[in-house]
Amino acid sequence: MGREAVETAFADIRAALAVLNAEVDACGSEPFPAADPLAGLADGSLDILAGAREAEAGLAGLKARAAMKYADTAHALAPPGMPVQAQEMAVAAEIGCVLALGPRAASAFLSVSHALTTTLPLTLAALHAGTISWQHARVMVDEAATLDPAGVAALEAHFLDPDTPRPAAAATIGEMPAHRLRHKARTWRERHHTESIGKRHTKAAADRRIEYRSDQDGMAWLSACLPADQAMAGWNRLNALSRGMQGPHEARTLTQLRADTFAEAILTSGTNTSSGDGAGIGTDLTPSSSIRAQVLVTVPVVSLMGVTDEPAMLDGYGPIPASMARDLVANGADSFHRVLVDPRDGAPLEIGRSSYRVTKAMRNWLRLRDGQCPFPGCSNSSLDNEADHILAWHHGGTTGISNLGQPCPKHHKLRHTSRWKPTPATKNQPPGWTSPTGRHYTSEHQDWEPPHWPESALSAMPAHLKPEEQRRERLRGARTPPAALPARAR
């Protein structure tokens, strides 16, 4: 490796950065179009952002490879008999100093770099190509950590192999924020892990805990790691209680109301306080309100019957063990609702109306189709979102699923106060968005999968209706006709 060649390459990079900075300052060598220089500056700035993202990703891949190359050579140069742990600490310390990282951050960086360069070739290639960011690569490393080699290869193929079938309009993983990729990758991992989610959940539940972390300005964080159904129901209940307290005489924001309601619940059991011995702390353990927040749980009928352990889907969270879903369906009453879906591909069935009013059934369907606000990168819970006609009713738009979106309040307002506009949706795909500059951004798609059928059901099916044949038909672009197969429960 020639030091002079490295220095020359980075000198060229610094020179390129100087050129790009001049462009940002409108001092580049070429003038903007005289007709609309301001629009030219705006468009050029977006081009620089897009190029910088690609360059950053390529540099991140370069850093990972360079770090592992250094680690390999350092191990080869280590004195005979030097303990492996000491070698690893020395390598982490050196790289931490070069990158100005603390010991833990340096070790974490090395761990991710090792996984990328040894077990995740498609992820590393995408990073080099600039199609994903370092944050996306870390997600892939995290979700692959407990998979066997075949599972890791399947995970990469699902998200990064261009030959993997996916909806034509579906966003690639580099087009969605890393936190949304984490949700999708976690969902895939839960469905395809060699060990059942029920067994893994039992182990994980033993590690449930409350954590405390101090923060600035006299504040602190109190967080809980709980079984998903409890955490999701608790969050939705906090939202429902807090919304019920809003009104013209309530000055607190929804965020503040949630925090205050949570604090009251853990400090006073969430009930009316009692003077008692003067402490003012409530002792009644019954709920302080009859409000029960709704949660949608999609359960394959064969899992509901206990025939298989296929995961169910908890709206707003993701895959949950079949045992948890069965308990929610049996005991959830008015809080948990089972969902009817298409048994051919796992997607919710379309519902439509000819009137302007959006029915409760349609709102529930939109929650299932979109999962969250369909604005790219937004993960606002579907419970907070508002049904919205894509083509306005007064412009001839209908009240059907394919003409409805459910943006969160923030992006609903953006749509009506700016030139951001949603693009057409379908019964299975949320609307995309077009920005004021004319750039189109795709919305995230739900990862629907057909239910897994037990052998007893498969043997009784006609050959042309079996799931394997359906998959082949979809790959050929054909549509399998509807059939009277068992549906997921409602």
Side-chain angles (χ1 to χ4, degrees):
M1 180 182 293
R3 176 168 291 182
E4 184 177 346
V6 172
E7 291 177 352
T8 299
F10 279 108
D12 291 342
I13 290 175
R14 286 189 287 271
L17 287 173
V19 171
L20 293 170
N21 274 296
E23 291 291 335
V24 170
D25 294 331
C27 299
S29 58
E30 296 183 11
F32 290 115
D36 197 346
L38 193 60
L41 178 60
D43 203 47
S45 297
L46 291 176
D47 289 339
I48 289 172
L49 284 174
R53 184 183 78 164
E54 182 176 330
E56 284 178 344
L59 285 171
L62 175 65
K63 285 169 60 179
R65 292 187 66 240
M68 295 317 300
K69 186 63 68 174
Y70 168 74
D72 291 342
T73 55
H75 286 307
L77 294 171
M82 183 178 183
V84 174
Q85 186 175 10
Q87 292 181 35
E88 292 175 348
M89 289 178 62
V91 168
E94 181 75 34
I95 289 179
C97 290
V98 170
L99 298 179
L101 298 175
R104 293 180 62 183
S107 295
F109 169 71
L110 279 169
S111 177
V112 174
S113 298
H114 181 266
L116 287 172
T117 55
T118 58
T119 61
L120 293 162
L122 294 182
T123 305
L124 182 61
L127 194 61
H128 279 305
T131 55
I132 65 171
S133 69
W134 178 255
Q135 289 77 15
H136 291 86
R138 287 190 60 182
V139 168
M140 294 296 287
V141 170
D142 291 344
E143 297 304 323
T146 61
L147 297 174
D148 58 22
V152 173
L155 174 69
E156 276 207 304
H158 180 76
F159 288 103
L160 291 166
D161 189 339
D163 294 329
T164 298
R166 53 176 54 90
T172 62
I173 69 170
E175 294 175 332
M176 68 181 76
H179 76 278
R180 293 307 311 160
L181 170 62
R182 184 174 298 278
H183 173 77
K184 283 182 170 289
R186 186 197 69 195
T187 299
W188 187 96
R189 172 185 172 275
E190 302 288 28
R191 286 170 173 162
H192 299 88
H193 203 289
T194 53
E195 186 177 25
S196 75
I197 189 175
K199 292 181 180 178
R200 286 179 284 122
H201 172 70
T202 299
K203 297 175 184 176
D207 195 35
R208 60 191 181 277
R209 61 198 180 276
I210 300 289
E211 295 181 350
Y212 169 85
R213 176 170 58 86
S214 59
D215 205 349
Q216 297 174 333
D217 304 324
M219 302 297 286
W221 289 92
L222 184 64
S223 56
C225 182
L226 301 170
D229 57 334
Q230 296 179 15
M232 196 74 243
W235 171 251
N236 288 340
R237 178 176 168 80
L238 273 176
N239 278 326
L241 287 168
S242 301
R243 288 194 196 94
M245 296 166 66
Q246 288 183 307
H249 304 295
E250 177 54 72
R252 291 173 292 178
T253 66
L254 181 61
T255 299
Q256 292 169 335
L257 285 167
R258 276 195 296 255
D260 293 346
T261 302
F262 174 75
E264 181 185 5
I266 62 173
L267 296 175
T268 68
S269 301
T271 62
N272 293 329
T273 57
S274 170
S275 58
D277 296 327
I281 302 298
T283 57
D284 183 4
L285 298 181
T286 58
S288 60
S289 170
S290 60
I291 294 175
R292 301 192 69 183
Q294 290 186 354
V295 177
L296 297 178
V297 56
T298 305
V299 193
V301 67
V302 286
S303 289
L304 187 64
M305 296 166 60
V307 177
T308 71
D309 287 325
E310 182 182 0
M313 294 294 293
L314 181 64
D315 181 48
Y317 173 77
I320 58 173
S323 58
M324 181 186 291
R326 286 191 287 268
D327 181 64
L328 294 179
V329 170
N331 303 317
D334 57 338
S335 291
F336 291 88
H337 297 273
R338 289 165 289 175
V339 178
L340 178 66
V341 299
D342 191 329
R344 297 168 299 171
D345 56 12
L349 297 174
E350 168 128 36
I351 306 169
R353 288 290 185 274
S354 58
S355 64
Y356 177 80
R357 180 175 174 270
V358 180
T359 67
K360 180 178 179 181
M362 296 172 75
R363 290 180 187 275
N364 284 342
W365 191 97
L366 286 171
R367 287 174 60 188
L368 285 165
R369 184 192 71 183
D370 298 355
Q372 68 276 330
C373 170
F375 193 88
C378 183
S379 56
N380 198 319
S381 167
S382 57
L383 285 175
D384 291 328
N385 300 341
E386 305 164 353
D388 180 44
H389 288 74
I390 296 172
L391 176 62
W393 177 264
H394 58 276
H395 288 156
T398 61
T399 305
I401 295 301
S402 298
N403 190 47
L404 289 173
Q406 51 137 26
C408 66
K410 172 183 173 182
H411 291 118
H412 193 181
K413 182 177 180 180
L414 180 74
R415 180 257 169 99
H416 291 289
T417 57
S418 75
R419 290 186 295 146
W420 276 96
K421 298 299 178 186
T423 57
T426 70
K427 77 182 185 72
N428 291 326
Q429 299 176 355
W433 289 77
T434 300
S435 74
T437 66
R439 286 171 164 79
H440 177 69
Y441 301 92
T442 26
S443 294
E444 184 178 330
H445 290 242
Q446 293 277 54
D447 293 325
W448 302 115
E449 285 191 6
H452 299 290
W453 298 95
E455 288 299 324
S456 57
L458 287 173
S459 61
M461 284 185 195
H464 69 284
L465 294 179
K466 292 186 178 181
E468 294 82 359
E469 179 61 22
Q470 292 176 10
R471 282 193 286 272
R472 287 194 292 271
E473 287 296 322
R474 283 198 296 274
L475 290 175
R476 288 195 292 264
R479 297 291 298 176
T480 303
L485 300 180
R488 292 191 183 182
R490 182 182 178 93

